[in-house]
Amino acid sequence: MPPRPVDISLIISSRNRVYGLTNCLDAVSIAARQADYLRLELVFVDNGSTDETSDVVRQWASTAPIKTNLIYEAKPGLAVARNTGLHAARGRVLAFTDDDCEIFPDYFSTLAALFSSDTEMVMRGGRIELGDTRDLPVTIKPEMEPAVLSSELHAGGFIHGANMAFPHGLVEKIGFFDTRFGAGSPFRSGEDTDYVHRAFNAGVRVEYLPDFAVKHFHGRRELADIKRLQTGYAFGNGALYAKYLFDRRSNMRGMLRWEIRQALMEAIGRRKLNEELGLTYRSQLRDNLTGMLAYWRGPKAKQPA
């Protein structure tokens, strides 16, 4: 008898971050118990950890109220790990969060309701709250107003990889994550932005909905940490601008023009990115251009099998 289909697969990848991992997993347990009428699975990808990550997950899974598939993926890179999770996941809906996040108790039930009445393919991203008020307010998305991605909006940050979901059919439609992007890759970030952009270009509706939410415990409390983070994001965005520069369907050229305009306006004193955090449009554009050059000099695309 073939295995019963799974309603939702939650995919989490982790590398050497055993501290705090139990909190992430316990939040999954709470949400799974609240949605015990659903067929759920957790696909946890240990991305080459040298600490006790796999042991912690294995011990937790022995009593967890959710079927858990623990996979060890030796090749580093967030996009690599996410692709490994996609290959293993059996859910009709595929959801992603990060190992430093805690999903809300109604996470699974809310996701199931959102995707239950779709008549077309929809990709969705949810709210990301700051988990610890001692952390600086970055890598979050606390907006309470729903939104739909359009050609006038930048895919970057519209929805975040720390809280996104889409039907399994999207993988068949647009393929896997580009492993040149994302943490641990040549272009450092942007694997989620690239995936959102590809979905949008393929005619898929992309929504931000605050209804399903996670808390992000990112631990960044120093301005130097934020500057490094922003540099990585801008570098990855620059590589994306280069990737789509000659694609007429893409609005990435428009986004690059926007970056240039903001830097020029800042130079004459009419724009500021974030003075409090020490971020500027000019440094962002510099990192964009560095990322573009790295893309043109870097490895060519290779579609994961």
Side-chain angles (χ1 to χ4, degrees):
M1 180 180 295
R4 292 196 305 163
V6 174
D7 294 314
I8 300 172
S9 296
L10 177 62
I11 301 171
I12 300 176
S13 59
S14 185
R15 179 178 173 85
N16 288 335
R17 199 183 284 173
V18 71
Y19 56 89
L21 191 55
T22 300
N23 293 335
C24 170
L25 295 172
D26 286 346
V28 173
S29 290
I30 292 169
R33 289 191 181 96
Q34 183 166 309
D36 59 0
Y37 59 95
L38 295 171
R39 295 181 292 270
L40 304 171
E41 71 170 355
L42 171 64
V43 179
F44 192 99
V45 182
D46 181 344
N47 192 201
S49 296
T50 56
D51 61 11
E52 295 76 31
T53 290
S54 285
D55 293 336
V56 168
V57 176
R58 199 174 290 113
Q59 181 177 355
W60 171 86
S62 65
T63 58
I66 181 173
K67 176 181 171 60
T68 302
N69 184 1
L70 172 62
I71 306 169
Y72 189 86
E73 170 57 68
K75 185 177 179 181
L78 180 56
V80 172
R82 285 183 163 167
N83 286 342
T84 298
L86 287 177
H87 278 293
R90 297 188 298 113
R92 295 190 182 98
V93 175
L94 307 176
F96 291 83
T97 192
D98 288 345
D99 58 357
D100 56 356
C101 292
E102 296 178 14
I103 63 176
F104 275 48
D106 63 350
Y107 184 86
F108 291 120
S109 55
T110 300
L111 270 183
L114 288 172
F115 282 90
S116 65
S117 58
D118 286 342
T119 58
E120 61 179 1
M121 191 173 292
V122 183
M123 181 183 201
R124 294 183 169 98
R127 194 168 83 251
I128 303 176
E129 299 283 357
L130 191 64
D132 190 329
T133 56
R134 295 173 296 176
D135 296 344
L136 291 169
V138 294
T139 61
I140 58 174
K141 191 172 178 71
E143 289 91 339
M144 295 303 295
E145 290 297 322
V148 178
L149 185 61
S150 69
S151 58
E152 288 76 37
L153 299 174
H154 199 312
F158 183 78
I159 63 177
H160 292 208
N163 191 15
M164 67 179 177
F166 46 80
H168 204 295
L170 183 63
V171 183
E172 299 169 9
K173 189 176 182 70
I174 69 171
F176 292 84
F177 289 94
D178 187 334
T179 56
R180 297 172 299 170
F181 294 86
S185 74
F187 303 134
R188 307 182 196 173
S189 66
E191 88 295 336
D192 49 354
T193 299
D194 179 65
Y195 210 72
V196 170
H197 185 70
R198 284 159 53 196
F200 179 77
N201 274 3
V204 175
R205 181 180 173 90
V206 180
E207 297 180 343
Y208 168 74
L209 294 174
D211 300 353
F212 66 106
V214 304
K215 294 179 181 179
H216 195 183
F217 297 82
H218 61 74
R220 298 180 181 93
R221 299 172 186 175
E222 303 294 332
L223 292 182
D225 297 332
I226 306 307
K227 289 182 180 179
R228 281 192 295 270
L229 181 71
Q230 186 65 22
T231 294
Y233 285 159
F235 183 88
N237 278 342
L240 286 174
Y241 296 150
K243 178 178 179 178
Y244 294 103
L245 191 61
F246 303 108
D247 184 348
R248 293 186 177 182
R249 301 171 304 162
S250 171
N251 69 337
M252 283 290 178
R253 282 181 293 184
M255 296 300 103
L256 176 58
R257 287 194 295 269
W258 182 89
E259 300 268 17
I260 294 171
R261 283 198 303 271
Q262 302 313 303
L264 291 173
M265 296 292 281
E266 184 180 69
I268 62 175
R270 297 181 60 183
R271 286 284 189 278
K272 289 184 179 179
L273 179 55
N274 193 317
E275 191 172 16
E276 183 179 349
L277 294 180
L279 305 177
T280 68
Y281 284 113
R282 283 171 288 180
S283 62
Q284 184 167 280
L285 178 61
R286 178 200 63 210
D287 295 327
N288 290 156
L289 297 175
T290 304
M292 292 179 73
L293 288 173
Y295 180 88
W296 287 320
R297 295 171 176 169
K300 302 300 180 183
K302 183 179 180 181
Q303 179 67 21

